[in-house]
Amino acid sequence: MDVDVLVPTVDRPAELATTLAGLAAQTDVAFRVVVSDQSAGGEAVTAPAVAAMLRVLEAQGRPVTLLTHPERRGLAEHRQFLLDHATAPAVLFLDDDVWLEPGSVGRMLDALRTLDCGFVGSAVQGLSYLHDRRPHETAVFERWDGPVVPEVVRRGTPGFDRWSLHNAANPTHLAADLDVPPGGWVPYRVAWVGACVLYDRQALDDVGGFRFWDALPPDHAGEDVVAQWRVMERFGGVGILPSGAVHLEAPTTVVDRRVDAPDVVFDEWADAAR
């Protein structure tokens, strides 16, 4: 397999079925799907729509691995659990509320190989905001010209201001203003990318993956930011347009966001350095 698609899920059978349907529409990449279910009793994968999409993937020759991981220790630990089961050279962390248009995984893998960097992200688009243009949020857009090189992004650095690029339907509007041929992609500078990120597995493992999870309480957010910032500063990372990733805009399952992982992890590192 070229890619292991790693999908953490909990109590979202309808959204998970839609996510799997998007994967079933990808035709140009050899990938395996790994689903880790934290629903009560591991019941998400038995829902009729989910089970049907899993059968479709298997009928296509896509290997499917189903895991249950009932003990909830937070998103970072769940992502590390999935990463520990990955074997492919590239891993796509795909949240269970994202639909991918056909060709999305192929574009991301092509970009990862061409740019030879640590990760490529497709920012999710909230299409309920399709008519809400926000030029004040997209003004920081910057194409990545030339080789992708490492960079440091933290709160207070200029790169952090790029977070606004991925609000609402901003990726859709940015892509519409670019002259991208069918099947093509344009790399750009990011602060981070949520919900749909393809990593070079070795690069992610080299920076420790999500093994910082034990420094966090179970209720936290921003674990993907920590991983991406660590990959970016050693191997570089980009977003690509067009995205092809659509957010289902379902209610979040992460309701307590008082602990932001970057503030904890990088503060600990700073204290250790002092």
Side-chain angles (χ1 to χ4, degrees):
M1 297 294 105
D2 295 318
V3 177
D4 280 335
V5 182
L6 309 179
V7 184
T9 191
V10 57
D11 298 328
R12 278 179 156 179
E15 291 84 356
L16 178 60
T18 304
T19 298
L20 295 173
L23 289 173
Q26 309 299 313
T27 59
D28 49 356
V29 177
F31 62 85
R32 175 176 68 127
V33 178
V34 184
V35 178
S36 177
D37 186 9
Q38 290 193 317
S39 305
E43 296 173 351
V45 297
T46 65
V50 175
M53 289 301 99
L54 292 172
R55 289 193 293 269
V56 169
L57 287 162
E58 290 177 331
Q60 292 174 334
R62 314 281 193 192
V64 174
T65 300
L66 302 178
L67 306 170
T68 57
H69 192 53
E71 187 173 1
R72 298 189 190 181
R73 300 172 180 171
L75 278 168
E77 190 274 341
H78 199 187
R79 294 194 190 280
Q80 184 60 44
F81 175 77
L82 279 160
L83 185 59
D84 288 339
H85 286 83
T87 57
V91 292
L92 173 59
F93 274 97
L94 183 65
D95 284 2
D96 63 352
D97 59 351
V98 178
W99 175 82
L100 294 179
E101 71 178 21
S104 296
V105 178
R107 287 198 302 270
M108 296 174 74
L109 184 60
D110 181 44
L112 187 71
R113 289 172 169 172
T114 301
L115 299 172
D116 192 25
C117 58
F119 73 80
V120 169
S122 288
V124 293
Q125 307 158 93
L127 296 185
S128 68
Y129 297 90
L130 196 57
H131 301 294
D132 179 7
R133 281 190 170 265
R134 303 182 179 187
H136 61 289
E137 292 185 347
T138 58
V140 293
F141 175 76
E142 184 181 357
R143 294 176 66 143
W144 198 300
D145 295 319
V148 175
V149 296
E151 64 172 332
V152 174
V153 176
R154 298 287 190 275
R155 293 187 191 276
T157 66
F160 187 83
D161 294 337
R162 305 170 195 150
W163 67 268
S164 64
L165 292 173
H166 301 156
N167 284 347
N170 287 347
T172 311
H173 300 141
L174 286 166
D177 294 334
L178 298 173
D179 185 18
V180 185
W185 45 268
V186 170
Y188 66 100
R189 295 177 181 268
V190 298
W192 67 84
V193 185
C196 182
V197 182
L198 181 70
Y199 295 89
D200 178 287
R201 183 170 62 87
Q202 189 62 57
L204 180 57
D205 192 59
D206 283 350
V207 301
F210 295 87
R211 288 189 286 273
F212 54 83
W213 67 267
D214 58 359
L216 301 170
D219 292 322
H220 63 260
E223 78 294 336
D224 48 351
V225 180
V226 172
Q228 288 172 46
W229 283 358
R230 293 173 73 179
V231 171
M232 287 173 76
E233 64 188 25
R234 284 190 58 185
F235 304 100
V238 303
I240 60 168
L241 293 172
S243 163
V246 176
H247 189 226
L248 302 183
E249 301 184 56
T252 182
T253 58
V254 184
V255 294
D256 187 344
R257 294 175 173 265
R258 287 174 294 178
V259 175
D260 198 18
D263 294 337
V264 175
V265 174
F266 291 109
D267 278 354
E268 285 194 351
W269 286 359
D271 290 343
R274 286 195 291 268

PDB file of all heavy atoms in Angstrom, residues 144-179:
ATOM      1  N   TRP A 144       3.722  28.583  -2.235  1.00  0.00           N
ATOM      2  CA  TRP A 144       5.082  28.144  -1.933  1.00  0.00           C
ATOM      3  C   TRP A 144       5.810  27.972  -3.261  1.00  0.00           C
ATOM      4  O   TRP A 144       5.535  27.055  -4.023  1.00  0.00           O
ATOM      5  CB  TRP A 144       5.100  26.838  -1.156  1.00  0.00           C
ATOM      6  CG  TRP A 144       6.433  26.650  -0.491  1.00  0.00           C
ATOM      7  CD1 TRP A 144       7.641  26.565  -1.117  1.00  0.00           C
ATOM      8  CD2 TRP A 144       6.697  26.591   0.906  1.00  0.00           C
ATOM      9  NE1 TRP A 144       8.655  26.444  -0.196  1.00  0.00           N
ATOM     10  CE2 TRP A 144       8.100  26.451   1.058  1.00  0.00           C
ATOM     11  CE3 TRP A 144       5.897  26.626   2.040  1.00  0.00           C
ATOM     12  CZ2 TRP A 144       8.710  26.362   2.305  1.00  0.00           C
ATOM     13  CZ3 TRP A 144       6.514  26.528   3.281  1.00  0.00           C
ATOM     14  CH2 TRP A 144       7.914  26.401   3.402  1.00  0.00           C
ATOM     15  N   ASP A 145       6.746  28.880  -3.533  1.00  0.00           N
ATOM     16  CA  ASP A 145       7.551  28.812  -4.746  1.00  0.00           C
ATOM     17  C   ASP A 145       8.925  28.263  -4.396  1.00  0.00           C
ATOM     18  O   ASP A 145       9.556  28.704  -3.435  1.00  0.00           O
ATOM     19  CB  ASP A 145       7.685  30.210  -5.375  1.00  0.00           C
ATOM     20  CG  ASP A 145       6.342  30.745  -5.853  1.00  0.00           C
ATOM     21  OD1 ASP A 145       5.568  29.956  -6.422  1.00  0.00           O
ATOM     22  OD2 ASP A 145       6.075  31.946  -5.642  1.00  0.00           O
ATOM     23  N   GLY A 146       9.376  27.295  -5.182  1.00  0.00           N
ATOM     24  CA  GLY A 146      10.676  26.698  -4.918  1.00  0.00           C
ATOM     25  C   GLY A 146      10.574  25.533  -3.965  1.00  0.00           C
ATOM     26  O   GLY A 146       9.483  25.136  -3.544  1.00  0.00           O
ATOM     27  N   PRO A 147      11.715  24.957  -3.594  1.00  0.00           N
ATOM     28  CA  PRO A 147      11.716  23.786  -2.707  1.00  0.00           C
ATOM     29  C   PRO A 147      11.089  24.120  -1.357  1.00  0.00           C
ATOM     30  O   PRO A 147      11.245  25.223  -0.835  1.00  0.00           O
ATOM     31  CB  PRO A 147      13.209  23.459  -2.562  1.00  0.00           C
ATOM     32  CG  PRO A 147      13.887  24.145  -3.706  1.00  0.00           C
ATOM     33  CD  PRO A 147      13.077  25.352  -3.995  1.00  0.00           C
ATOM     34  N   VAL A 148      10.392  23.137  -0.782  1.00  0.00           N
ATOM     35  CA  VAL A 148       9.832  23.302   0.558  1.00  0.00           C
ATOM     36  C   VAL A 148      10.956  23.098   1.567  1.00  0.00           C
ATOM     37  O   VAL A 148      11.662  22.092   1.532  1.00  0.00           O
ATOM     38  CB  VAL A 148       8.688  22.296   0.799  1.00  0.00           C
ATOM     39  CG1 VAL A 148       8.190  22.399   2.244  1.00  0.00           C
ATOM     40  CG2 VAL A 148       7.549  22.561  -0.172  1.00  0.00           C
ATOM     41  N   VAL A 149      11.116  24.051   2.460  1.00  0.00           N
ATOM     42  CA  VAL A 149      12.179  23.996   3.456  1.00  0.00           C
ATOM     43  C   VAL A 149      11.553  24.085   4.847  1.00  0.00           C
ATOM     44  O   VAL A 149      10.419  24.540   5.010  1.00  0.00           O
ATOM     45  CB  VAL A 149      13.191  25.147   3.259  1.00  0.00           C
ATOM     46  CG1 VAL A 149      13.895  25.005   1.926  1.00  0.00           C
ATOM     47  CG2 VAL A 149      12.503  26.503   3.356  1.00  0.00           C
ATOM     48  N   PRO A 150      12.275  23.641   5.870  1.00  0.00           N
ATOM     49  CA  PRO A 150      11.741  23.729   7.234  1.00  0.00           C
ATOM     50  C   PRO A 150      11.466  25.165   7.642  1.00  0.00           C
ATOM     51  O   PRO A 150      12.153  26.103   7.199  1.00  0.00           O
ATOM     52  CB  PRO A 150      12.850  23.113   8.078  1.00  0.00           C
ATOM     53  CG  PRO A 150      13.599  22.219   7.135  1.00  0.00           C
ATOM     54  CD  PRO A 150      13.568  22.921   5.817  1.00  0.00           C
ATOM     55  N   GLU A 151      10.477  25.348   8.494  1.00  0.00           N
ATOM     56  CA  GLU A 151      10.205  26.651   9.082  1.00  0.00           C
ATOM     57  C   GLU A 151       9.597  26.446  10.461  1.00  0.00           C
ATOM     58  O   GLU A 151       9.015  25.404  10.759  1.00  0.00           O
ATOM     59  CB  GLU A 151       9.269  27.489   8.200  1.00  0.00           C
ATOM     60  CG  GLU A 151       7.880  26.918   8.015  1.00  0.00           C
ATOM     61  CD  GLU A 151       6.949  27.876   7.291  1.00  0.00           C
ATOM     62  OE1 GLU A 151       7.146  29.101   7.387  1.00  0.00           O
ATOM     63  OE2 GLU A 151       6.026  27.387   6.616  1.00  0.00           O
ATOM     64  N   VAL A 152       9.756  27.454  11.298  1.00  0.00           N
ATOM     65  CA  VAL A 152       9.225  27.401  12.658  1.00  0.00           C
ATOM     66  C   VAL A 152       7.992  28.284  12.737  1.00  0.00           C
ATOM     67  O   VAL A 152       8.038  29.469  12.387  1.00  0.00           O
ATOM     68  CB  VAL A 152      10.277  27.865  13.689  1.00  0.00           C
ATOM     69  CG1 VAL A 152       9.659  27.935  15.081  1.00  0.00           C
ATOM     70  CG2 VAL A 152      11.476  26.924  13.674  1.00  0.00           C
ATOM     71  N   VAL A 153       6.878  27.689  13.165  1.00  0.00           N
ATOM     72  CA  VAL A 153       5.641  28.435  13.406  1.00  0.00           C
ATOM     73  C   VAL A 153       5.283  28.282  14.877  1.00  0.00           C
ATOM     74  O   VAL A 153       5.248  27.168  15.404  1.00  0.00           O
ATOM     75  CB  VAL A 153       4.491  27.922  12.522  1.00  0.00           C
ATOM     76  CG1 VAL A 153       3.190  28.646  12.867  1.00  0.00           C
ATOM     77  CG2 VAL A 153       4.820  28.102  11.044  1.00  0.00           C
ATOM     78  N   ARG A 154       5.044  29.397  15.530  1.00  0.00           N
ATOM     79  CA  ARG A 154       4.587  29.429  16.916  1.00  0.00           C
ATOM     80  C   ARG A 154       3.671  30.640  17.061  1.00  0.00           C
ATOM     81  O   ARG A 154       3.644  31.527  16.212  1.00  0.00           O
ATOM     82  CB  ARG A 154       5.764  29.563  17.901  1.00  0.00           C
ATOM     83  CG  ARG A 154       6.755  28.431  17.885  1.00  0.00           C
ATOM     84  CD  ARG A 154       6.221  27.164  18.534  1.00  0.00           C
ATOM     85  NE  ARG A 154       7.281  26.182  18.696  1.00  0.00           N
ATOM     86  CZ  ARG A 154       7.672  25.333  17.761  1.00  0.00           C
ATOM     87  NH1 ARG A 154       7.089  25.344  16.560  1.00  0.00           N
ATOM     88  NH2 ARG A 154       8.640  24.461  17.985  1.00  0.00           N
ATOM     89  N   ARG A 155       2.955  30.690  18.151  1.00  0.00           N
ATOM     90  CA  ARG A 155       2.193  31.897  18.444  1.00  0.00           C
ATOM     91  C   ARG A 155       3.146  33.093  18.456  1.00  0.00           C
ATOM     92  O   ARG A 155       4.231  33.037  19.038  1.00  0.00           O
ATOM     93  CB  ARG A 155       1.514  31.795  19.806  1.00  0.00           C
ATOM     94  CG  ARG A 155       0.418  30.743  19.877  1.00  0.00           C
ATOM     95  CD  ARG A 155      -0.303  30.832  21.207  1.00  0.00           C
ATOM     96  NE  ARG A 155      -1.176  29.689  21.414  1.00  0.00           N
ATOM     97  CZ  ARG A 155      -2.421  29.595  20.933  1.00  0.00           C
ATOM     98  NH1 ARG A 155      -2.914  30.594  20.215  1.00  0.00           N
ATOM     99  NH2 ARG A 155      -3.159  28.526  21.176  1.00  0.00           N
ATOM    100  N   GLY A 156       2.732  34.157  17.797  1.00  0.00           N
ATOM    101  CA  GLY A 156       3.555  35.354  17.764  1.00  0.00           C
ATOM    102  C   GLY A 156       4.459  35.449  16.564  1.00  0.00           C
ATOM    103  O   GLY A 156       5.025  36.526  16.309  1.00  0.00           O
ATOM    104  N   THR A 157       4.644  34.368  15.801  1.00  0.00           N
ATOM    105  CA  THR A 157       5.425  34.434  14.570  1.00  0.00           C
ATOM    106  C   THR A 157       4.504  34.820  13.407  1.00  0.00           C
ATOM    107  O   THR A 157       3.287  34.587  13.474  1.00  0.00           O
ATOM    108  CB  THR A 157       6.100  33.093  14.256  1.00  0.00           C
ATOM    109  OG1 THR A 157       5.085  32.116  13.954  1.00  0.00           O
ATOM    110  CG2 THR A 157       6.933  32.608  15.444  1.00  0.00           C
ATOM    111  N   PRO A 158       5.050  35.387  12.342  1.00  0.00           N
ATOM    112  CA  PRO A 158       4.205  35.753  11.194  1.00  0.00           C
ATOM    113  C   PRO A 158       3.437  34.569  10.623  1.00  0.00           C
ATOM    114  O   PRO A 158       2.296  34.718  10.180  1.00  0.00           O
ATOM    115  CB  PRO A 158       5.216  36.321  10.185  1.00  0.00           C
ATOM    116  CG  PRO A 158       6.359  36.798  11.011  1.00  0.00           C
ATOM    117  CD  PRO A 158       6.441  35.846  12.162  1.00  0.00           C
ATOM    118  N   GLY A 159       4.037  33.382  10.647  1.00  0.00           N
ATOM    119  CA  GLY A 159       3.373  32.216  10.089  1.00  0.00           C
ATOM    120  C   GLY A 159       2.097  31.848  10.813  1.00  0.00           C
ATOM    121  O   GLY A 159       1.184  31.261  10.217  1.00  0.00           O
ATOM    122  N   PHE A 160       1.991  32.189  12.079  1.00  0.00           N
ATOM    123  CA  PHE A 160       0.796  31.847  12.845  1.00  0.00           C
ATOM    124  C   PHE A 160      -0.437  32.539  12.289  1.00  0.00           C
ATOM    125  O   PHE A 160      -1.556  32.012  12.375  1.00  0.00           O
ATOM    126  CB  PHE A 160       0.996  32.231  14.316  1.00  0.00           C
ATOM    127  CG  PHE A 160      -0.126  31.771  15.211  1.00  0.00           C
ATOM    128  CD1 PHE A 160      -0.149  30.476  15.692  1.00  0.00           C
ATOM    129  CD2 PHE A 160      -1.157  32.632  15.568  1.00  0.00           C
ATOM    130  CE1 PHE A 160      -1.186  30.039  16.514  1.00  0.00           C
ATOM    131  CE2 PHE A 160      -2.190  32.215  16.386  1.00  0.00           C
ATOM    132  CZ  PHE A 160      -2.210  30.912  16.860  1.00  0.00           C
ATOM    133  N   ASP A 161      -0.261  33.717  11.683  1.00  0.00           N
ATOM    134  CA  ASP A 161      -1.400  34.468  11.158  1.00  0.00           C
ATOM    135  C   ASP A 161      -2.088  33.761  10.000  1.00  0.00           C
ATOM    136  O   ASP A 161      -3.200  34.146   9.615  1.00  0.00           O
ATOM    137  CB  ASP A 161      -0.944  35.858  10.703  1.00  0.00           C
ATOM    138  CG  ASP A 161      -0.472  36.721  11.863  1.00  0.00           C
ATOM    139  OD1 ASP A 161      -0.878  36.445  13.005  1.00  0.00           O
ATOM    140  OD2 ASP A 161       0.308  37.670  11.628  1.00  0.00           O
ATOM    141  N   ARG A 162      -1.466  32.727   9.459  1.00  0.00           N
ATOM    142  CA  ARG A 162      -2.089  32.007   8.342  1.00  0.00           C
ATOM    143  C   ARG A 162      -3.263  31.143   8.794  1.00  0.00           C
ATOM    144  O   ARG A 162      -3.947  30.546   7.947  1.00  0.00           O
ATOM    145  CB  ARG A 162      -1.045  31.107   7.660  1.00  0.00           C
ATOM    146  CG  ARG A 162       0.202  31.823   7.186  1.00  0.00           C
ATOM    147  CD  ARG A 162       1.259  30.810   6.747  1.00  0.00           C
ATOM    148  NE  ARG A 162       2.579  31.404   6.621  1.00  0.00           N
ATOM    149  CZ  ARG A 162       3.715  30.752   6.816  1.00  0.00           C
ATOM    150  NH1 ARG A 162       3.695  29.464   7.167  1.00  0.00           N
ATOM    151  NH2 ARG A 162       4.876  31.358   6.672  1.00  0.00           N
ATOM    152  N   TRP A 163      -3.506  31.024  10.098  1.00  0.00           N
ATOM    153  CA  TRP A 163      -4.596  30.175  10.586  1.00  0.00           C
ATOM    154  C   TRP A 163      -5.930  30.561   9.954  1.00  0.00           C
ATOM    155  O   TRP A 163      -6.791  29.704   9.740  1.00  0.00           O
ATOM    156  CB  TRP A 163      -4.691  30.253  12.115  1.00  0.00           C
ATOM    157  CG  TRP A 163      -5.121  31.596  12.632  1.00  0.00           C
ATOM    158  CD1 TRP A 163      -4.315  32.626  13.005  1.00  0.00           C
ATOM    159  CD2 TRP A 163      -6.462  32.053  12.815  1.00  0.00           C
ATOM    160  NE1 TRP A 163      -5.051  33.712  13.408  1.00  0.00           N
ATOM    161  CE2 TRP A 163      -6.388  33.382  13.306  1.00  0.00           C
ATOM    162  CE3 TRP A 163      -7.717  31.483  12.617  1.00  0.00           C
ATOM    163  CZ2 TRP A 163      -7.518  34.145  13.587  1.00  0.00           C
ATOM    164  CZ3 TRP A 163      -8.857  32.246  12.911  1.00  0.00           C
ATOM    165  CH2 TRP A 163      -8.743  33.561  13.395  1.00  0.00           C
ATOM    166  N   SER A 164      -6.096  31.838   9.621  1.00  0.00           N
ATOM    167  CA  SER A 164      -7.392  32.297   9.091  1.00  0.00           C
ATOM    168  C   SER A 164      -7.678  31.787   7.690  1.00  0.00           C
ATOM    169  O   SER A 164      -8.826  31.855   7.228  1.00  0.00           O
ATOM    170  CB  SER A 164      -7.448  33.829   9.105  1.00  0.00           C
ATOM    171  OG  SER A 164      -6.469  34.381   8.227  1.00  0.00           O
ATOM    172  N   LEU A 165      -6.677  31.283   6.991  1.00  0.00           N
ATOM    173  CA  LEU A 165      -6.878  30.813   5.619  1.00  0.00           C
ATOM    174  C   LEU A 165      -7.909  29.696   5.538  1.00  0.00           C
ATOM    175  O   LEU A 165      -8.556  29.514   4.503  1.00  0.00           O
ATOM    176  CB  LEU A 165      -5.558  30.307   5.035  1.00  0.00           C
ATOM    177  CG  LEU A 165      -4.470  31.345   4.767  1.00  0.00           C
ATOM    178  CD1 LEU A 165      -3.174  30.641   4.360  1.00  0.00           C
ATOM    179  CD2 LEU A 165      -4.911  32.331   3.685  1.00  0.00           C
ATOM    180  N   HIS A 166      -8.075  28.944   6.605  1.00  0.00           N
ATOM    181  CA  HIS A 166      -8.898  27.740   6.550  1.00  0.00           C
ATOM    182  C   HIS A 166     -10.267  27.917   7.208  1.00  0.00           C
ATOM    183  O   HIS A 166     -10.986  26.946   7.396  1.00  0.00           O
ATOM    184  CB  HIS A 166      -8.141  26.568   7.184  1.00  0.00           C
ATOM    185  CG  HIS A 166      -6.846  26.280   6.500  1.00  0.00           C
ATOM    186  ND1 HIS A 166      -5.788  25.644   7.119  1.00  0.00           N
ATOM    187  CD2 HIS A 166      -6.436  26.551   5.235  1.00  0.00           C
ATOM    188  CE1 HIS A 166      -4.776  25.541   6.253  1.00  0.00           C
ATOM    189  NE2 HIS A 166      -5.145  26.086   5.114  1.00  0.00           N
ATOM    190  N   ASN A 167     -10.614  29.137   7.527  1.00  0.00           N
ATOM    191  CA  ASN A 167     -11.943  29.393   8.077  1.00  0.00           C
ATOM    192  C   ASN A 167     -13.015  29.243   6.999  1.00  0.00           C
ATOM    193  O   ASN A 167     -12.773  29.510   5.809  1.00  0.00           O
ATOM    194  CB  ASN A 167     -12.028  30.815   8.644  1.00  0.00           C
ATOM    195  CG  ASN A 167     -11.339  30.954   9.979  1.00  0.00           C
ATOM    196  OD1 ASN A 167     -10.992  29.964  10.620  1.00  0.00           O
ATOM    197  ND2 ASN A 167     -11.134  32.186  10.420  1.00  0.00           N
ATOM    198  N   ALA A 168     -14.196  28.819   7.419  1.00  0.00           N
ATOM    199  CA  ALA A 168     -15.397  28.832   6.557  1.00  0.00           C
ATOM    200  C   ALA A 168     -15.100  28.190   5.195  1.00  0.00           C
ATOM    201  O   ALA A 168     -14.594  27.072   5.138  1.00  0.00           O
ATOM    202  CB  ALA A 168     -15.898  30.265   6.421  1.00  0.00           C
ATOM    203  N   ALA A 169     -15.409  28.894   4.100  1.00  0.00           N
ATOM    204  CA  ALA A 169     -15.149  28.371   2.756  1.00  0.00           C
ATOM    205  C   ALA A 169     -13.948  29.053   2.114  1.00  0.00           C
ATOM    206  O   ALA A 169     -13.815  29.067   0.882  1.00  0.00           O
ATOM    207  CB  ALA A 169     -16.379  28.547   1.871  1.00  0.00           C
ATOM    208  N   ASN A 170     -13.039  29.587   2.929  1.00  0.00           N
ATOM    209  CA  ASN A 170     -11.875  30.290   2.376  1.00  0.00           C
ATOM    210  C   ASN A 170     -11.069  29.443   1.396  1.00  0.00           C
ATOM    211  O   ASN A 170     -10.641  29.950   0.344  1.00  0.00           O
ATOM    212  CB  ASN A 170     -10.975  30.781   3.503  1.00  0.00           C
ATOM    213  CG  ASN A 170     -11.566  31.969   4.248  1.00  0.00           C
ATOM    214  OD1 ASN A 170     -12.526  32.580   3.777  1.00  0.00           O
ATOM    215  ND2 ASN A 170     -11.014  32.299   5.397  1.00  0.00           N
ATOM    216  N   PRO A 171     -10.816  28.135   1.670  1.00  0.00           N
ATOM    217  CA  PRO A 171     -10.058  27.352   0.682  1.00  0.00           C
ATOM    218  C   PRO A 171     -10.766  27.273  -0.679  1.00  0.00           C
ATOM    219  O   PRO A 171     -10.097  27.256  -1.715  1.00  0.00           O
ATOM    220  CB  PRO A 171      -9.946  25.973   1.341  1.00  0.00           C
ATOM    221  CG  PRO A 171     -10.058  26.240   2.811  1.00  0.00           C
ATOM    222  CD  PRO A 171     -11.057  27.356   2.916  1.00  0.00           C
ATOM    223  N   THR A 172     -12.079  27.209  -0.664  1.00  0.00           N
ATOM    224  CA  THR A 172     -12.836  27.169  -1.917  1.00  0.00           C
ATOM    225  C   THR A 172     -12.623  28.453  -2.699  1.00  0.00           C
ATOM    226  O   THR A 172     -12.387  28.434  -3.922  1.00  0.00           O
ATOM    227  CB  THR A 172     -14.337  26.983  -1.627  1.00  0.00           C
ATOM    228  OG1 THR A 172     -14.517  25.910  -0.706  1.00  0.00           O
ATOM    229  CG2 THR A 172     -15.108  26.697  -2.904  1.00  0.00           C
ATOM    230  N   HIS A 173     -12.724  29.586  -2.019  1.00  0.00           N
ATOM    231  CA  HIS A 173     -12.579  30.872  -2.694  1.00  0.00           C
ATOM    232  C   HIS A 173     -11.154  31.089  -3.180  1.00  0.00           C
ATOM    233  O   HIS A 173     -10.939  31.623  -4.285  1.00  0.00           O
ATOM    234  CB  HIS A 173     -12.995  31.992  -1.742  1.00  0.00           C
ATOM    235  CG  HIS A 173     -14.418  31.878  -1.283  1.00  0.00           C
ATOM    236  ND1 HIS A 173     -14.825  32.165  -0.008  1.00  0.00           N
ATOM    237  CD2 HIS A 173     -15.542  31.478  -1.947  1.00  0.00           C
ATOM    238  CE1 HIS A 173     -16.125  31.969   0.107  1.00  0.00           C
ATOM    239  NE2 HIS A 173     -16.580  31.542  -1.062  1.00  0.00           N
ATOM    240  N   LEU A 174     -10.170  30.670  -2.408  1.00  0.00           N
ATOM    241  CA  LEU A 174      -8.778  30.802  -2.844  1.00  0.00           C
ATOM    242  C   LEU A 174      -8.521  29.971  -4.094  1.00  0.00           C
ATOM    243  O   LEU A 174      -7.878  30.432  -5.047  1.00  0.00           O
ATOM    244  CB  LEU A 174      -7.843  30.364  -1.722  1.00  0.00           C
ATOM    245  CG  LEU A 174      -7.688  31.328  -0.541  1.00  0.00           C
ATOM    246  CD1 LEU A 174      -7.024  30.629   0.640  1.00  0.00           C
ATOM    247  CD2 LEU A 174      -6.865  32.545  -0.962  1.00  0.00           C
ATOM    248  N   ALA A 175      -9.015  28.730  -4.096  1.00  0.00           N
ATOM    249  CA  ALA A 175      -8.794  27.856  -5.253  1.00  0.00           C
ATOM    250  C   ALA A 175      -9.458  28.410  -6.505  1.00  0.00           C
ATOM    251  O   ALA A 175      -8.919  28.274  -7.614  1.00  0.00           O
ATOM    252  CB  ALA A 175      -9.315  26.458  -4.955  1.00  0.00           C
ATOM    253  N   ALA A 176     -10.617  29.034  -6.348  1.00  0.00           N
ATOM    254  CA  ALA A 176     -11.339  29.569  -7.496  1.00  0.00           C
ATOM    255  C   ALA A 176     -10.565  30.695  -8.175  1.00  0.00           C
ATOM    256  O   ALA A 176     -10.759  30.954  -9.375  1.00  0.00           O
ATOM    257  CB  ALA A 176     -12.718  30.066  -7.067  1.00  0.00           C
ATOM    258  N   ASP A 177      -9.702  31.354  -7.418  1.00  0.00           N
ATOM    259  CA  ASP A 177      -8.930  32.469  -7.972  1.00  0.00           C
ATOM    260  C   ASP A 177      -7.585  32.025  -8.556  1.00  0.00           C
ATOM    261  O   ASP A 177      -6.818  32.860  -9.037  1.00  0.00           O
ATOM    262  CB  ASP A 177      -8.690  33.522  -6.887  1.00  0.00           C
ATOM    263  CG  ASP A 177      -9.978  34.193  -6.425  1.00  0.00           C
ATOM    264  OD1 ASP A 177     -10.932  34.229  -7.221  1.00  0.00           O
ATOM    265  OD2 ASP A 177     -10.021  34.665  -5.271  1.00  0.00           O
ATOM    266  N   LEU A 178      -7.299  30.723  -8.498  1.00  0.00           N
ATOM    267  CA  LEU A 178      -6.047  30.206  -9.040  1.00  0.00           C
ATOM    268  C   LEU A 178      -6.299  29.500 -10.365  1.00  0.00           C
ATOM    269  O   LEU A 178      -7.354  28.916 -10.582  1.00  0.00           O
ATOM    270  CB  LEU A 178      -5.412  29.208  -8.058  1.00  0.00           C
ATOM    271  CG  LEU A 178      -5.018  29.746  -6.684  1.00  0.00           C
ATOM    272  CD1 LEU A 178      -4.582  28.599  -5.780  1.00  0.00           C
ATOM    273  CD2 LEU A 178      -3.904  30.786  -6.796  1.00  0.00           C
ATOM    274  N   ASP A 179      -5.329  29.548 -11.237  1.00  0.00           N
ATOM    275  CA  ASP A 179      -5.433  28.868 -12.529  1.00  0.00           C
ATOM    276  C   ASP A 179      -4.762  27.500 -12.391  1.00  0.00           C
ATOM    277  O   ASP A 179      -3.573  27.331 -12.700  1.00  0.00           O
ATOM    278  CB  ASP A 179      -4.757  29.698 -13.617  1.00  0.00           C
ATOM    279  CG  ASP A 179      -4.941  29.083 -14.994  1.00  0.00           C
ATOM    280  OD1 ASP A 179      -5.843  28.238 -15.152  1.00  0.00           O
ATOM    281  OD2 ASP A 179      -4.180  29.447 -15.915  1.00  0.00           O
TER     282      ASP A 179
END
